[in-house]
Structure formats: C-alpha cells, structure tokens
C-alpha cells in the first residue's frame, strides 16, 4: 500500500518524527531567509540582475521562492539560533558544515543563488545552489552544489518542480523531464507547466514511480550538447549516456560499479519520447528565444528508439561494411533493452531493412549479446519489480478519485452522477465504490460521519466476507494516506475541478476500451459474413465514438 501511495513505509517513532519536523521547520525558515536576502539586500544585486537577464519575472521569483546566500560564514546559522534551533539541528538539516579544526559550524551555502527543493506536497527539504555570476570564474566548489543527504532530504526521491507541475501533468497526461532548475522555471513561466527536472542526475526508480502516479507518458528534453551530432561516434559509451538521458536509472554492474541501465520498471506501461530542443542548448535558452519553437519540439517528440535510430544513421555511409557493423552494434544494444517482444521484433526488422542485411543474422547477434550481458545489470531493480507489481495509469487515476471523494465528501453527489462503477480500474475499487455509494446515502443527512473510521465501522456491520472486509479496510487506509499526501492543501473548489478532470479521463479510457471491444466483435462478424451483426456493431461503434468526441470537445 505504501508503494502504491508513493511513500516509504517506516515504523512510527514519536521521537524521530519530532526531530524530523524540527529539521523541516529549519529548512522552511532558511527558504524565507534566503528569499528575503535576495529581494532586499545590496549583496544580492548581482544575483537579482542575473535572474533578470535570464528573463525571470518578479512574480516567478516569488512563486519559486528563489533566494540568495550572503558571502557570510555564519549569518543564517546565527539567525536560526535566535529562532530557537540548536547547532545540531541546523547541521542535521544540511544547512551548515562542521569546522575541520576545532568545534563549531559554518554556513554550507555562501554567495549563491538558492533554489529550494520541495517534495510533491510542496514542503522544502533542501536546496540547489548556483554560484553568483561574478564568482563563477574563481569558484572551486563547482557551479552548482546541492544539500547533502539528510534525514529529510533524499535526492533520489525528489523531482524539482513536481509540487507545482503534478496537476498539470495529470491534465496533459504527460510529464516533460528536463535537466536543470532554470529549464523548469522558465518553462512554467512560459506556460509549459507540466515540466519537472531530474537536477542533472539519473532518474531513479523512486522518481519514476513518483511520476507514474500522475502519468505513464514521459518526454525527455535533451540538451543539444548531450544529444548532439558527435554523440553517435562514442561507441558503447553513448549507449549508457543515451540510457542515462532517455531511461535514466542506475544499478551496480558485476564489478560493483554504479552504471546507468534501463530499469525493468520502465518495461511496464511507460511511454517514452525524446524532445529535440532547437535553437539553443537547453529548454530555458530555447524558450527565451522563441517559446513557439519549444512548443513545436514537444509536438514533434519522437519515440526513444526512433530518436536513436535517426541519430545513428544520420550522415552515415551505409555502402561501407564497417559502418553497417558499427550501426548494428550500437542499435542492437538499444533494441536489446526493449521489454515488449512485438516492439522489439518491429525494430529488429527495421534495422535489417535499413542495413540491407539478413534479419536472422541480427537475431543471432542480439541473442548472443543478451546471453553475455552481466547478470547484475538491473538485477536489483528486477527484484523490486517482482515484489511491487506495476500499477496501471487507470488504477492510479481511480485511486486519486476515490481519495478525493473521501477527503471532500461534499462533492460525492457530483461523483455519483458522473461515473459508473464499471468505469473504475479494478474489481476491488468497484466493490469499494458501490459500498461507498450505499454508505453515503445512509449518512447523507449527517455528512460529518463521512470519515475513515466511521466508514470502516459501517463496513464491519454490512460485509460478512472477512477477506473482502479486510481488503476494503486496507484500501481505505491507503486512500486516506494518498489524500493527505497529494491533496492536503487543495481547496474545495480545486478538488471539484480535479475530480472533473479525472472523471473525464476515466470515461474516455472506458469508452475507448468499449470501441476496441466492438472492433474485435465487428472483425469476427465480418469473418462470419453476418450482415445483421455487422450493421449492429457499426451502429454501436458510431454511438461510442460520438461520446468520445463530445468528451474531447
């Protein structure tokens, strides 16, 4: 249940929870402090000018709470102490560093533009800090530094901008994954609000699972300097670099080294496309030049394998045998990562046709490559996948809808009038929804009883099957957890809008499934040459297609 709700299950320890809350409070105050320094102090003039040159508006800076850390060893440290935080708490929050000699601490961030890192609910956990432009040439610690791993911050479980993008990702049914903070902020300012960033690291399994709570469609926006023309000349290195950009996950190889591979979780109901950014090396620069170019690039996004095929064959003279061998070696490595057998077959045939070689010869090379691939490549993620079955997008939409229903019972009559049980994803959810409708009708005059414990008590008295009762109680716990996680800041009006969006998506998916069923029945009727049924199925298809059209208007 924790995995479905996108959280890590931990035993409850009141003392540990108290410490965690203190660290979160310290980071939240640090965000406000750095933002105030950026807006109001002379030391931040260069940072303000830099952000202005990058095209950021004042309201954007305020929305993202961008800040500035002074060239000071102890200003934030001392200020937090005056607010009642101990030296140890400030250190554990990742805001200070221990002195190498003697006792004491000093500020971790100095002379940097500060980008807060939030979880999906909008709680700040840490920072990415960019060196001030005037110090860039002499800075020894790097252009960007991040908060360290702490009790509250794990970079593998955070996506920059997800707290602001999640509802737009649901609405667009797609997430655009960029690399840097400025890519995300510029995109949102320009109206591309379904953009998040991996902050320059490989996308972890946890981040993938986090994103799949909102969509199964991933569009990776590649910088031109990493997806450029010379990329195809780097042999085996480009395969891993390509996977890093397009599939982005890490595992240990057979020698215990961290390498980048395709996580098996990506073989389950996830669609990946590549956005090739024109006119600039990153989305931020492209958008500043012409937002229309970026919009066109999104519309022209190609499948991940198609992208790599095109890159490999561009300007390659296939009359030379050595070039055919080089292209086959690179592309077979990519084809071998495809989990779907039909898709793998199709790309293998395309490769054989393009190279004008025997398809069977390529199959033999592919089989040999897969047999000799190190067992450890992705073995850890495979275990994880086995213990945590993939969850369909329909199921996640249904869970979100039911979670909203529990949190905002005032909209339940709207839900009843808008959706039928058969439109929900799985049998357990349909059974729960039917019981929820009955329960709601029994307490409609006293909506205050519409809560988890009251609902469980009612189920206890109305469901005789112990296994079914246990499953429904567990589902309630998961939905309440999900509601607090994803919708705790949502207003009643926003909840109504969100419910409407989810209902439309579920209706559309249900109708499309009906159309596919009718198409299969129609094909069977045509084989039997049954004129009566052919006419009946064609009429039914038109009716459902018209419903889909009305939904999409």
């Amino acid at each position: 249940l924790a995995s479905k709700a996108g959280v890590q299950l931990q035993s409850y320890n009141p003392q540990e929870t108290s410490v965690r809350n203190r660290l979160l409070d310290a980071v939240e105050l640090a965000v406000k402090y750095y933002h105030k320094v950026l807006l109001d102090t002379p030391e931040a003039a260069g940072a303000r000018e830099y952000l202005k040159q990058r095209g950021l508006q004042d309201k954007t800076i305020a929305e993202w709470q961008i800040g500035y850390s002074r060239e000071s060893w102890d200003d934030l440290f001392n200020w937090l102490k005056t607010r009642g935080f101990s030296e140890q708490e400030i250190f554990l929050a990742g805001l200070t560093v221990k002195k190498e000699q003697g006792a004491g601490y000093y500020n971790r961030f100095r002379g940097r533009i500060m980008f807060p890192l939030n979880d999906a609910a909008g709680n700040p956990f840490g920072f990415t800090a960019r060196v001030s432009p005037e110090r860039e040439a002499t800075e020894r610690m790097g252009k960007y530094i991040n908060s360290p791993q702490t009790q509250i911050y794990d970079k593998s479980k955070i996506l920059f901008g997800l707290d602001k993008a999640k509802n737009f990702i649901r609405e667009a049914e797609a997430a655009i994954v960029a690399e840097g903070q400025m890519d995300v902020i510029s995109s949102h300012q320009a109206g591309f609000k379904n953009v998040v960033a991996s902050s320059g690291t490989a996308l972890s399994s946890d981040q993938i699972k986090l994103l799949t709570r909102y969509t199964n469609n991933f569009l990776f926006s590649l910088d031109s300097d990493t997806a450029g023309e010379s990329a195809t000349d780097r042999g085996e290195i480009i395969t891993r670099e390509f996977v890093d950009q397009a599939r982005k996950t890490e595992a240990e190889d057979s020698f215990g080294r961290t390498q980048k591979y395709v996580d098996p979780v990506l073989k389950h109901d996830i669609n990946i496309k590549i956005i090739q950014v024109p006119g600039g090396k990153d989305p931020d620069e492209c958008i500043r030049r012409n937002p229309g170019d970026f919009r066109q690039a999104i519309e022209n996004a190609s499948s991940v394998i198609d992208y790599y095929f095109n890159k490999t064959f561009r300007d390659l003279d296939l009359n030379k045998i050595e070039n055919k061998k080089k292209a086959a070696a690179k592309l077979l490595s990519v084809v071998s990562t495809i989990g779907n057998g039909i898709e793998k077959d199709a790309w293998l045939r395309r490769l054989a046709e393009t190279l004008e070689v025997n398809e069977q010869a390529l199959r033999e090379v592919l089989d040999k490559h897969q047999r000799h691939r190190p067992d450890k490549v992705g073995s850890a993620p495979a275990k994880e996948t086995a213990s945590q079955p993939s969850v369909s997008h329909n199921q996640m939409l249904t869970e979100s809808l039911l979670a909203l229903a529990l949190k905002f019972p005032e909209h339940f009559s709207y839900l009843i009038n808008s959706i039928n049980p058969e439109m929900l994803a799985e049998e357990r959810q349909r059974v729960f929804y039917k019981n929820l409708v009955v329960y709601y009708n029994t307490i409609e005059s006293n909506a205050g009883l519409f809560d988890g414990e009251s609902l469980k008590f009612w189920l206890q008295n109305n469901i005789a099957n112990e296994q079914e009762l246990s499953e429904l109680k567990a589902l309630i716990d998961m939905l309440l957890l999900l509601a607090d996680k994803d919708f705790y800041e949502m207003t009643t009006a926003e909840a109504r809008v969100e419910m409407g969006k989810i209902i439309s998506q579920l209706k559309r998916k249900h109708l499309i499934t009906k159309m596919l069923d009718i198409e299969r029945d129609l094909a069977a009727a045509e084989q039997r040459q049954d004129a009566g049924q052919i006419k009946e199925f064609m009429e039914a298809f038109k009716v459902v297609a018209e419903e889909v059209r009305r939904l999409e208007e």
Side-chain angles (χ1 to χ4, degrees):
L1 291 175
S3 119
K4 284 187 177 182
V7 300
Q8 183 177 354
L9 187 64
Q10 295 176 334
S11 58
Y12 177 71
N13 183 322
Q15 184 177 357
E16 184 178 314
T17 301
S18 177
V19 170
R20 178 181 171 83
N21 288 338
R22 290 285 293 171
L23 303 188
L24 287 170
D25 290 343
V27 174
E28 186 175 2
L29 277 177
V31 169
K32 294 176 181 177
Y33 179 84
Y34 288 139
H35 184 60
K36 179 75 172 172
V37 169
L38 174 70
L39 296 183
D40 296 340
T41 64
E43 301 100 309
R48 291 194 294 270
E49 181 61 27
Y50 168 79
L51 294 172
K52 183 178 178 181
Q53 289 174 358
R54 296 296 296 264
L56 295 194
Q57 301 165 5
D58 290 344
K59 64 178 182 179
T60 302
I61 293 170
E63 180 187 1
W64 293 84
Q65 287 291 285
I66 301 171
Y68 183 75
S69 54
R70 286 188 174 99
E71 285 272 9
S72 167
W73 293 94
D74 58 9
D75 66 323
L76 176 71
F77 179 53
N78 290 332
W79 185 77
L80 287 175
K81 284 200 295 182
T82 67
R83 295 301 185 274
F85 291 93
S86 69
E87 295 184 355
Q88 180 72 359
E89 286 173 332
I90 301 169
F91 170 72
L92 291 176
L95 299 170
T96 55
V97 177
K98 285 184 179 180
K99 293 180 179 178
E100 292 184 8
Q101 295 181 348
Y105 304 86
Y106 59 89
N107 290 342
R108 177 177 293 277
F109 304 108
R110 301 179 305 282
R112 290 180 176 269
I113 299 170
M114 307 298 293
F115 298 93
L117 302 173
N118 300 339
D119 67 2
N123 303 306
F125 280 8
F127 296 91
T128 286
R130 189 204 188 280
V131 67
S132 293
E134 62 269 19
R135 296 176 57 239
E136 200 169 317
T138 57
E139 178 57 45
R140 292 180 297 174
M141 290 184 64
K143 188 174 179 179
Y144 288 91
I145 61 174
N146 295 314
S147 290
Q149 189 91 359
T150 66
Q151 185 177 335
I152 59 173
Y153 172 62
D154 182 345
K155 69 176 182 179
S156 69
K157 297 178 181 178
I158 299 293
L159 284 164
F160 183 77
L162 183 60
D163 55 315
K164 295 176 176 63
K166 60 185 180 184
N167 291 332
F168 296 100
I169 290 172
R170 277 201 188 102
E171 183 178 342
E173 294 193 61
I176 298 173
V177 183
E179 288 193 59
Q181 281 80 15
M182 285 301 299
D183 292 331
V184 175
I185 296 171
S186 294
S187 297
H188 279 246
Q189 181 175 273
F192 304 97
K193 294 183 179 291
N194 59 327
V195 183
V196 297
S198 58
S199 301
T201 64
L203 205 61
S204 70
S205 294
D206 286 322
Q207 289 169 323
I208 291 165
K209 290 170 189 171
L210 190 57
L211 267 184
T212 54
R213 288 221 58 84
Y214 310 101
T215 184
N216 287 348
N217 302 311
F218 291 51
L219 285 75
F220 285 92
S221 180
L222 299 187
D223 292 358
S224 62
D225 56 356
T226 57
E229 304 303 325
S230 63
T232 51
D233 295 328
R234 293 199 283 258
E236 181 62 19
I237 296 173
I238 183 58
T239 301
R240 288 180 179 171
E241 182 173 271
F242 166 75
V243 168
D244 179 30
Q245 293 297 325
R247 301 274 181 126
K248 290 195 169 185
T249 191
E250 294 181 349
E252 284 189 351
D253 65 14
S254 54
F255 299 100
R257 299 171 302 194
T258 298
Q259 302 288 6
K260 298 175 177 68
Y261 298 109
V262 177
D263 189 320
V265 74
L266 291 175
K267 298 179 183 178
H268 298 279
D269 200 21
I270 291 180
N271 307 309
I272 300 173
K273 288 188 175 182
I274 299 298
I275 300 170
Q276 297 181 65
V277 181
K281 69 176 185 177
D282 54 37
D284 171 41
E285 187 173 333
C286 175
I287 288 167
R288 280 187 282 127
R289 289 183 178 182
N290 184 358
D293 286 346
F294 189 56
R295 183 172 288 105
Q296 190 64 46
I298 295 170
E299 292 174 2
N300 294 337
S302 57
S303 79
V304 67
I305 308 298
D306 202 31
Y307 163 83
Y308 200 55
F309 265 64
N310 292 337
K311 281 292 182 185
T312 300
F313 287 128
R314 184 175 295 175
D315 301 325
L316 192 65
D317 183 1
L318 292 179
N319 291 316
K320 296 180 180 180
I321 298 297
E322 60 268 27
N323 285 346
K324 289 189 178 187
K325 290 168 65 177
K326 186 187 296 183
K330 291 178 182 179
L331 293 175
L332 284 174
S333 293
V334 176
V335 170
S336 70
T337 67
I338 300 173
N340 184 283
I342 295 173
E343 187 182 354
K344 184 181 290 187
D345 252 18
W347 286 109
L348 203 57
R349 282 196 298 275
R350 174 173 163 180
L351 180 58
E353 289 167 5
T354 307
L355 294 176
E356 297 180 333
V357 299
N358 185 282
E359 186 181 327
Q360 186 57 36
L362 291 180
R363 289 187 183 280
E364 290 173 3
V365 175
L366 182 63
D367 289 343
K368 183 178 179 182
H369 171 80
Q370 290 179 323
R371 282 197 304 270
H372 288 82
R373 199 164 54 181
D375 290 336
K376 292 250 182 165
V377 174
S379 59
K383 254 186 221 178
E384 185 176 26
T385 303
S387 62
Q388 299 176 0
S390 64
V391 180
S392 72
H393 189 217
N394 262 23
Q395 187 175 336
M396 288 186 286
L397 284 172
T398 302
E399 288 172 356
S400 293
L401 184 63
L402 294 175
L404 281 165
L406 291 180
K407 189 166 182 65
F408 299 95
E410 58 267 40
H411 296 320
F412 200 75
S413 59
Y414 164 65
L415 178 62
I416 294 173
N417 294 325
S418 302
I419 202 161
N420 298 320
E422 63 267 19
M423 295 178 183
L424 305 185
E426 61 173 16
E427 180 61 25
R428 184 180 63 149
Q429 294 170 337
R430 292 190 284 271
V431 170
F432 175 71
Y433 178 61
K434 290 174 185 176
N435 280 284
L436 199 57
V437 172
V438 176
Y439 170 72
Y440 177 75
N441 288 332
T442 65
I443 56 97
E444 192 168 7
S445 61
N446 191 355
L449 292 176
F450 199 74
D451 63 77
E453 290 309 312
S454 299
L455 178 55
K456 286 181 188 178
F457 181 77
W458 182 87
L459 289 172
Q460 186 91 35
N461 294 323
N462 287 273
I463 294 182
N465 186 307
E466 285 296 326
Q467 182 177 350
E468 182 179 319
L469 178 62
S470 176
E471 288 178 356
L472 292 180
K473 284 183 174 180
L475 179 59
I476 291 170
D477 288 337
M478 187 274 285
L479 292 173
L480 291 172
L481 180 65
L482 178 61
D484 285 337
K485 173 182 171 291
D486 281 359
F487 309 121
Y488 84 105
E489 285 187 337
M490 190 172 278
T491 66
T492 300
E494 290 170 340
R496 172 65 178 265
V497 173
E498 183 65 18
M499 288 176 81
K501 291 175 183 176
I502 296 174
I503 287 168
S504 293
Q505 290 185 61
L506 288 173
K507 278 185 174 179
R508 184 177 180 276
K509 288 173 181 289
H510 175 68
L511 291 171
I512 288 173
T513 300
K514 281 181 68 174
M515 288 171 67
L516 293 172
D517 291 339
I518 294 170
E519 281 183 338
R520 282 194 289 271
D521 292 339
L522 178 59
E526 287 173 340
Q527 270 194 328
R528 296 192 305 269
Q529 297 183 342
D530 187 332
Q533 283 210 324
I534 289 172
K535 183 178 179 181
E536 180 185 333
F537 289 137
M538 288 182 70
E539 288 299 322
F541 187 88
K542 286 179 185 176
V543 171
V544 179
E546 177 60 21
E547 288 186 64
V548 173
R549 186 191 66 77
R550 284 199 301 268
L551 269 178
E552 293 177 343
E553 284 181 345

